Amino acid sequence: MALAGDIITAAMLTVGSVEAEDTTAGRSTTSTAYTDASGGAFSAQAVVPASGKVAVEIRSTQRNASTSNTITSWQAVGSVSGTVYSPNDNAALITVGSNNQPLDLRKHLSGLVPGETLTVTIKHRVNNAANAGIFDYRLILIEGLWG
């Protein structure tokens, strides 16, 4: 964050955003550990701004083939920093049952290396391998933050 008297440079104001969208309906998984859905990894990449801060937003429209849970989280890996965020149930999109649910989650990351490439990948799991988690829409938005 810029303070009174700080000089704001053009580099501090360069805070682009990147959005990736997967509209292929019927992607799925039966894994009880976080993994990619059928069709392979779904990722987006952005360059970290001079502030070392970004906001990550994920969206998923998901359901389960039965009455089990379908769980979506994400992973962030910096080209210099390595893994800076791992998928976890405490910050996840969780649906129960076979009705499609549109869900959204946003989180700020700080302490990243300015100029590095940050790769965000959506990861999925279910709580019962006998019942598939199904994903009909997914989105990743990475926004550079300044200050």
Side-chain angles (χ1 to χ4, degrees), residues 39-99:
F42 175 55
S43 301
Q45 292 185 324
V47 175
V48 175
S51 66
K53 299 176 185 178
V54 300
V56 175
E57 183 172 349
I58 63 167
R59 294 181 189 168
S60 179
T61 299
Q62 59 192 42
R63 65 186 184 282
N64 195 282
S66 184
T67 58
S68 297
N69 291 354
T70 297
I71 305 162
T72 298
S73 192
W74 55 284
Q75 169 180 301
V77 178
S79 58
V80 176
S81 302
T83 301
V84 295
Y85 191 84
S86 296
N88 67 86
D89 291 354
N90 293 326
L93 308 173
I94 302 175
T95 10
V96 179
S98 59
N99 291 328

Side-chain angles (χ1 to χ4, degrees), residues 91-136:
L93 308 173
I94 302 175
T95 10
V96 179
S98 59
N99 291 328
N100 242 358
Q101 296 289 320
L103 303 167
D104 185 273
L105 175 74
R106 185 175 174 93
K107 175 151 177 65
H108 290 201
L109 295 177
S110 60
L112 304 172
V113 176
E116 78 175 325
T117 299
L118 183 72
T119 302
V120 172
T121 306
I122 287 184
K123 298 291 185 178
H124 306 283
R125 75 177 199 84
V126 293
N127 69 325
N128 182 344
N131 301 309
I134 303 165
F135 312 94
D136 288 337

